[in-house]
Amino acid sequence: MNAEIYFAKALPSSRIRSDEDSRRTWGRDRTTSFKADPAAVLLPETTAEVAAIVKAANAGKFKLVPSGGRTGLSGGAVAGPSEVVVSLDHMNQIAGFNGPDRLLTCQAGVITQVVQQTALRHGLFYPVDFASVGSSQIGGNIATNAGGIRVIRYGLTRQWIAGLTVVTGTGDVLRLNHGLIKNATGYDLRHLFIGSEGTLGIVTEVDVRLAMQPEPQRVLVLAVPELAALMRILKAFSASIDLSAFEFFSELAMSRVIARGRGVRPMPEISPLYALIEFDESAEDEAMRIFEQMVTVGSVTDGVISRSDAQAKALWALRENISESLAPERPYKNDISVRIMDVPDFLVAVDRLVSARYPDFEVCWYGHIGDGNLHLNILKPETMAEPDFVARCHHISPELFREVHLRRGSISAEHGVGLLKRDFLGFSRSTEEIAAMRAIKAVFDPNGVLNPGKLF
Ligand SMILES: Cc1cc2nc3c(=O)[nH]c(=O)nc-3n(C[C@H](O)[C@H](O)[C@H](O)COP(=O)(O)OP(=O)(O)OC[C@H]3O[C@@H](n4cnc5c(N)ncnc54)[C@H](O)[C@@H]3O)c2cc1C
């Protein structure tokens, strides 16, 4: 049956699109190797409309793909042939602010940066931050349990979600936790939906908990001669300073940012690696003391510190613009994590593997190393066809994931599983865990209406 005609019983036809341009735009995320070909795009405005859509999909045997800001990096929002996209783009209203509880209540389609800006207007702070916050939505962040650059101090999205309204795969509406801090009444279902990648329910409304504003921040960029030095630096700084970020990137990553005009070289020294550290202004003297110490032992060869917000922004641009600067080269992205104590040994193993298995590819290192998260991007040679390149990387990935598995790490630290990592889930989750996940899926989405084929 024609999806456009069928869903007219759940939504005004002005908010149902099936032209090619809309299907192409809304049918995909930032991945490039999956084919998107949805039958239609639905643009609900209320939770009741979402519930009506899901009920209609069950009755008509349609499959639905929830779609947020479409900045995902795992193919989670890619809609295959005859699937129907449910976009949250029109659910972008802030419903209210509750001062005593420091809660912002909003619809799931609110852009993450708008949550941050609204928090600031109330003298508060929404700490989850990453390069795509200008496009991603709070609902998409919840579905992927997004992390980013300040996890080391503030944790992931999960930590800031105090209440959720979700429409399950049967079309039932669940209102969960209501913004409470304490609620010891059995299973906290809210946490099942956080990180579920749209496979259990569609998030429609959210209570976001806000933090107190931190004091002004300083950003320090250090030239680092070798991978092993990174963890010595992290250990030294985090022993006496409550860091708000500890990131790293390679010269190759930085040179791409500079070549695309998205950043300026911060110091004359060219180094294989750089660390970017952020901390409270009041810790500057202590940071300078540790910096000198690191230079003395040879772990750092040069450094530059921000003296203004503009300088801090310019230094952050070197890290935050990496992903977009690499995008034209269609990188094969690995987003992996291990415990912090395992990072030094893991870096050595990955470095060895990458040099042996990708001798003809450029490999770009960067990541949120302070929380054990490494982004390893393999760049596609210009002359190689994308399917050949992806097949080659897919062939090598199991070796990398075995190193992750050996250390009980994660094959997807923060980007989700989606389509990209689906076939590798067993490297991070046991057979019993996957069986339990399938059983949970059967409770909330017994007909498999929501985001089929994603995750498992
Ligand atoms: C330049 C760049 C940098 C990035 N940096 C980071 C980073 O540092 N840390 C990080 O964690 N991620 C990062 N990402 C990845 C991405 O931005 C996050 O995964 C983000 O949370 C996705 O949100 P979205 O709204 O774009 O979701 P989408 O891409 O639209 O969807 C992601 C998944 O969520 C589901 N979904 C979306 N909305 C809903 C909803 N309302 N209810 C239920 N399911 C839904 C989709 O079906 C899909 O499975 C980056 C991406 C880019 C392009």
Side-chain angles (χ1 to χ4, degrees):
M1 189 187 300
N2 179 302
E4 192 175 3
I5 297 168
Y6 181 78
F7 282 99
K9 61 178 161 183
L11 215 57
S13 52
S14 59
R15 286 190 274 115
I16 304 177
R17 310 257 173 97
S18 61
D19 58 288
E20 204 185 323
D21 199 29
S22 299
R23 292 191 299 114
R24 202 177 29 235
T25 304
W26 272 285
R28 58 176 333 112
D29 60 9
R30 293 293 178 97
T31 53
T32 53
S33 56
F34 304 108
K35 192 169 158 37
D37 186 22
V41 178
L42 310 180
L43 292 154
E45 289 181 353
T46 63
T47 298
E49 284 183 352
V50 174
I53 289 168
V54 177
K55 286 205 159 104
N58 274 278
K61 298 194 177 357
F62 279 94
K63 306 293 180 194
L64 302 175
V65 178
S67 165
R70 306 182 300 281
T71 66
L73 298 172
S74 69
V78 173
S82 75
E83 292 175 354
V84 175
V85 175
V86 181
S87 165
L88 279 290
D89 279 10
H90 285 202
M91 294 187 65
N92 58 3
Q93 301 301 307
I94 304 249
F97 171 69
N98 158 353
D101 290 290
R102 295 209 304 258
L103 285 179
L104 194 66
T105 300
C106 56
Q107 288 186 303
V110 171
I111 300 290
T112 316
Q113 197 170 53
V114 173
V115 173
Q116 293 175 337
Q117 289 163 345
T118 311
L120 282 179
R121 273 203 297 281
H122 289 287
L124 294 167
F125 183 57
Y126 181 60
V128 179
D129 197 12
F130 42 87
S132 53
V133 291
S135 304
S136 79
Q137 299 176 0
I138 189 73
N141 300 163
I142 291 166
T144 55
N145 189 22
I149 56 178
R150 300 219 166 75
V151 171
I152 189 173
R153 182 184 280 186
Y154 294 102
L156 296 117
T157 299
R158 180 184 302 284
Q159 198 153 324
W160 301 96
I161 303 306
L164 272 187
T165 300
V166 289
V167 175
T168 69
T170 54
D172 292 330
V173 177
L174 302 181
R175 297 189 191 277
L176 306 170
N177 201 58
H178 312 282
L180 295 170
I181 296 170
K182 290 186 162 183
N183 182 7
T185 52
Y187 307 145
D188 193 338
L189 301 179
R190 167 182 51 149
H191 288 294
L192 276 180
F193 290 93
I194 300 173
S196 68
E197 301 187 35
T199 61
L200 301 180
I202 302 182
V203 177
T204 57
E205 290 162 50
V206 193
D207 293 314
V208 184
R209 180 102 48 215
L210 302 176
M212 301 303 286
Q213 273 190 26
E215 62 174 272
Q217 301 291 294
R218 286 277 187 256
V219 177
L220 180 63
V221 171
L222 304 174
V224 181
E226 49 166 0
L227 279 170
L230 279 172
M231 296 317 279
R232 288 198 292 274
I233 299 168
L234 173 64
K235 201 169 158 201
F237 276 92
S238 56
S240 58
I241 300 178
D242 184 18
L243 301 177
S244 37
F246 187 97
E247 304 276 314
F248 91 109
F249 42 91
S250 62
E251 168 61 27
L252 179 61
M254 185 161 84
S255 65
R256 289 299 202 274
V257 173
I258 293 166
R260 299 206 183 273
R262 293 167 185 257
V264 177
R265 189 169 285 284
M267 58 189 104
E269 172 95 13
I270 292 191
S271 177
L273 298 164
Y274 302 89
L276 183 153
I277 308 176
E278 191 184 67
F279 47 85
D280 294 345
E281 194 179 57
S282 57
E284 184 176 337
D285 289 348
E286 176 64 1
M288 286 301 101
R289 187 189 67 74
I290 301 166
F291 168 70
E292 303 284 343
Q293 204 181 61
M294 290 292 100
V295 171
T296 309
V297 299
S299 293
V300 166
T301 52
D302 200 356
V304 56
I305 189 166
S306 65
R307 293 276 171 229
S308 65
D309 281 355
Q311 284 174 0
K313 232 171 144 182
L315 292 177
W316 263 119
L318 297 167
R319 165 66 187 88
E320 293 247 80
N321 289 336
I322 295 174
S323 189
E324 297 291 22
S325 302
L326 297 179
E329 293 176 68
R330 307 280 176 110
Y332 184 87
K333 287 178 172 292
N334 283 292
D335 163 42
I336 46 190
S337 70
V338 292
R339 283 169 301 185
I340 293 165
M341 67 171 235
D342 291 323
V343 169
D345 156 67
F346 183 61
L347 287 176
V348 173
V350 173
D351 192 26
R352 196 178 300 138
L353 181 73
V354 160
S355 324
R357 306 300 262 142
Y358 293 114
D360 49 339
F361 291 169
E362 284 189 298
V363 178
C364 205
W365 299 74
Y366 62 98
H368 317 290
I369 198 85
D371 55 45
N373 182 185
L374 184 66
H375 293 319
L376 196 66
N377 281 233
I378 321 296
L379 307 187
K380 187 180 85 56
E382 225 173 295
T383 50
M384 193 178 264
E386 187 154 9
D388 296 343
F389 171 66
V390 172
R392 172 104 181 268
C393 293
H394 249 62
H395 185 67
I396 297 168
S397 285
E399 292 184 54
L400 176 63
F401 296 155
R402 259 192 288 282
E403 295 292 344
V404 173
H405 177 72
L406 267 175
R407 293 163 184 84
R408 286 183 264 164
S410 176
I411 58 151
S412 181
E414 58 177 14
H415 294 165
V417 175
L419 294 170
L420 189 69
K421 297 286 177 69
R422 183 186 63 187
D423 299 341
F424 305 114
L425 188 60
F427 283 96
S428 280
R429 297 302 194 104
S430 68
T431 312
E432 293 79 6
E433 276 182 291
I434 295 172
M437 290 205 269
R438 285 188 188 282
I440 291 167
K441 166 88 173 164
V443 169
F444 291 110
D445 184 22
N447 298 324
V449 165
L450 293 180
N451 230 359
K454 313 290 167 51
L455 194 53
F456 36 57

